[in-house]
Amino acid sequence: MTQSPTVPGPIEQLTGAGVSIWLDDLSRERLRTGNLADLVATRGVVGVTTNPTIFAAALSKGDAYDAQLAELAPAGVDDAAVEAAVERITTDDVRAAADLLRPVYDATDGVDGRVSIEVDPRLAHDADKTVVTAERLWATIDRPNVYIKIPATVAGLDAISRTLAQGISVNVTLIFSLARYRAVMEAFAIGLEQARADGIDLAPVGSVASFFVSRVDTAVDAALEKVGTPEALDLRGQAAIANARLAFEAYEEFRQTDRWRSLAASGAHPQRPLWASTGVKNPEYRDTMYVDELVTDGIVNTMPEATLQAFADHGVVTGDTITGTAAASRRTLETVESFGVSLVEVTDRLEEEGVRKFEDSWTELLATTRDNLRRIASS
């Protein structure tokens, strides 16, 4: 009897549609227990993103860092010592994850197998210090499959170009608006053009543009709820997906330019869109909506583990859910704005809040590390 072929599961369908799955989390515990290796093997994970909030959470629980904290404790707990400890701990985690993912990096010609680490968010509005920090993190981790995360603030745009120009791979984070995303693509092109002019091989230089999703719906939904009419309320949960789909349209437009064709001919890889903030904030929404509504070939979706496991359990891939949606997406956002909701104001506020939240997480990370160093020193 002929056996029926196995029907691919949701993860296989998603990767088959051209989506690279990255995990939006990292900790020493994941590395130590083999959890990350298991997610790579069983859940299609081909990259990892981190941020100050993720590391603050990792340092606040468990004993996975105690041995390293014991090594670092003799340096003391003044500000310089604590910041050095944080950098040592986080770069060690990222290096270990990069080593774990190196086979993926090699197998995909450097497209995936990447691990991201963010510059100190307190430098988000200081291009010069951001570039210096990016150089130091790149040299300290010393792995080709690392991304240095730089926020897409106005100052960040300059830092992105200058960092890429040195051949350092960059994950551009905290992108909320279409206008800023276009500026990010411009910064990417400027950086690669400078690198090429300086004789740097473009092939190993990678970049992704992290376009945030769920936070847009949270902010827009709140504004629509203030309007309160049935028509306004019916638009809840639609703005973020429409916004992201239009970002992909902008990406495709850039890839058709002579400027990009020239860079590609010189060996450059595209700066892929990366959907970030993909865990739903509203429990009334389908928990996989920011995955299955944003499927197309050649993008990245970085997910918290809860979203990843939910998608593996009951995600649905119906094919490409982005291509051909630009006109409808534009109408959705125009309708949202017709109710007095300014997307420019929303996305500007989200950028400010995003930087501030990461600064708060960084402060928490420093405080947690200081407390742990004191605990270890007194034990």
Side-chain angles (χ1 to χ4, degrees), residues 83-271:
E83 292 193 13
V86 165
E87 186 164 305
R88 171 75 182 277
I89 289 166
T90 57
T91 56
D92 281 0
D93 276 2
V94 168
R95 187 184 304 106
D99 287 344
L100 189 158
L101 284 160
R102 182 60 185 266
V104 176
Y105 173 82
D106 291 338
T108 60
D109 192 27
V111 173
D112 284 310
R114 301 275 189 163
V115 184
S116 298
I117 185 169
E118 190 157 345
V119 297
D120 182 340
R122 296 172 299 180
L123 308 178
H125 302 295
D126 188 324
D128 291 342
K129 289 182 179 178
T130 292
V131 173
V132 169
T133 303
E135 293 168 350
R136 187 177 69 248
L137 291 172
W138 180 259
T140 299
I141 298 170
D142 193 25
R143 295 294 186 272
N145 54 326
V146 165
Y147 276 133
I148 306 302
K149 286 180 81 171
I150 299 174
T153 59
V154 172
L157 296 173
D158 179 40
I160 290 157
S161 296
R162 290 162 59 186
T163 302
L164 286 165
Q166 297 181 63
I168 297 173
S169 297
V170 174
N171 175 344
V172 183
T173 189
L174 289 177
I175 308 171
F176 296 96
S177 75
L178 296 171
R180 186 56 55 85
Y181 178 45
R182 291 189 180 93
V184 165
M185 290 188 285
E186 172 73 13
F188 167 69
I190 290 171
L192 290 192
E193 287 164 349
Q194 185 60 56
R196 180 174 61 185
D198 292 342
I200 293 173
D201 182 5
L202 299 187
V205 185
S207 187
V208 290
S210 296
F211 201 87
F212 279 52
V213 187
S214 66
R215 295 188 195 183
V216 173
D217 268 344
T218 299
V220 171
D221 286 1
L224 291 170
E225 286 165 3
K226 287 182 179 179
V227 176
T229 64
E231 295 81 5
L233 296 177
D234 283 346
L235 286 167
R236 289 177 298 180
Q238 297 185 42
I241 290 169
N243 199 41
R245 287 171 171 173
L246 290 175
F248 187 79
E249 179 193 43
Y251 166 70
E252 289 286 86
E253 288 173 351
F254 174 72
R255 290 188 67 188
Q256 298 306 312
T257 64
D258 289 341
R259 188 179 195 183
W260 168 247
R261 291 191 181 99
S262 174
L263 287 167
S266 297
H269 289 290
Q271 183 189 52

Side-chain angles (χ1 to χ4, degrees), residues 168-364:
I168 297 173
S169 297
V170 174
N171 175 344
V172 183
T173 189
L174 289 177
I175 308 171
F176 296 96
S177 75
L178 296 171
R180 186 56 55 85
Y181 178 45
R182 291 189 180 93
V184 165
M185 290 188 285
E186 172 73 13
F188 167 69
I190 290 171
L192 290 192
E193 287 164 349
Q194 185 60 56
R196 180 174 61 185
D198 292 342
I200 293 173
D201 182 5
L202 299 187
V205 185
S207 187
V208 290
S210 296
F211 201 87
F212 279 52
V213 187
S214 66
R215 295 188 195 183
V216 173
D217 268 344
T218 299
V220 171
D221 286 1
L224 291 170
E225 286 165 3
K226 287 182 179 179
V227 176
T229 64
E231 295 81 5
L233 296 177
D234 283 346
L235 286 167
R236 289 177 298 180
Q238 297 185 42
I241 290 169
N243 199 41
R245 287 171 171 173
L246 290 175
F248 187 79
E249 179 193 43
Y251 166 70
E252 289 286 86
E253 288 173 351
F254 174 72
R255 290 188 67 188
Q256 298 306 312
T257 64
D258 289 341
R259 188 179 195 183
W260 168 247
R261 291 191 181 99
S262 174
L263 287 167
S266 297
H269 289 290
Q271 183 189 52
R272 291 183 294 170
L274 178 152
W275 310 134
S277 183
T278 55
V280 297
K281 305 293 192 290
N282 187 334
E284 296 179 5
Y285 294 161
R286 192 175 71 257
D287 56 2
T288 61
M289 66 182 284
Y290 297 125
V291 181
D292 51 42
E293 294 291 338
L294 292 171
V295 174
T296 195
D297 185 35
I299 56 95
V300 179
N301 195 306
T302 184
M303 313 175 202
E305 186 176 2
T307 302
L308 174 62
Q309 299 292 12
F311 195 87
D313 179 69
H314 53 263
V316 176
V317 178
T318 58
D320 188 330
T321 53
I322 295 180
T323 302
T325 64
S329 297
R330 202 168 284 110
R331 286 194 298 271
T332 295
L333 296 187
E334 288 170 353
T335 306
V336 167
E337 294 211 319
S338 74
F339 288 101
V341 180
S342 169
L343 289 171
V344 171
E345 291 179 5
V346 166
T347 54
D348 284 352
R349 185 172 72 251
L350 286 172
E351 180 184 303
E352 293 172 7
E353 291 175 353
V355 172
R356 187 170 64 251
K357 286 177 180 178
F358 279 167
E359 287 176 345
D360 291 344
S361 294
W362 191 263
T363 300
E364 180 186 348

